[in-house]
């Protein structure tokens, strides 16, 4: 079932983001995604569209 995003979903959302990027962009050093994890997580907290 699809439901509206809740703030408590952020960790799961970030896990999907990280795993998806690691799988889809295997030509980019994995450290890039790990290094940007917290920045993206902080940015997601500020979004009003999710």
């Amino acid at each position: 079932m699809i439901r509206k995003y809740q703030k408590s979903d952020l960790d799961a959302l970030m896990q999907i983001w990280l795993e998806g990027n690691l799988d889809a962009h295997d030509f980019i050093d994995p450290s890039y995604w790990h290094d940007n994890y917290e920045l993206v997580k902080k940015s997601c907290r500020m979004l009003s569209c999710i």
Side-chain angles (χ1 to χ4, degrees):
M1 181 165 120
I2 298 175
R3 62 170 172 74
K4 189 173 181 176
Y5 171 81
Q6 298 171 358
K7 290 181 182 182
S8 61
D9 296 329
L10 184 56
D11 288 332
L13 175 69
M14 290 305 301
Q15 190 64 36
I16 293 168
W17 174 86
L18 180 60
E19 290 177 11
N21 279 306
L22 290 170
D23 289 342
H25 306 288
D26 61 353
F27 51 91
I28 296 175
D29 190 314
S31 65
Y32 174 81
W33 305 112
H34 291 280
D35 291 347
N36 285 285
Y37 181 92
E38 289 300 325
L39 176 64
V40 172
K41 188 173 183 178
K42 182 179 178 182
S43 298
C44 284
R45 286 188 188 116
M46 296 185 290
L47 294 175
S48 60
C49 62
I50 61 169

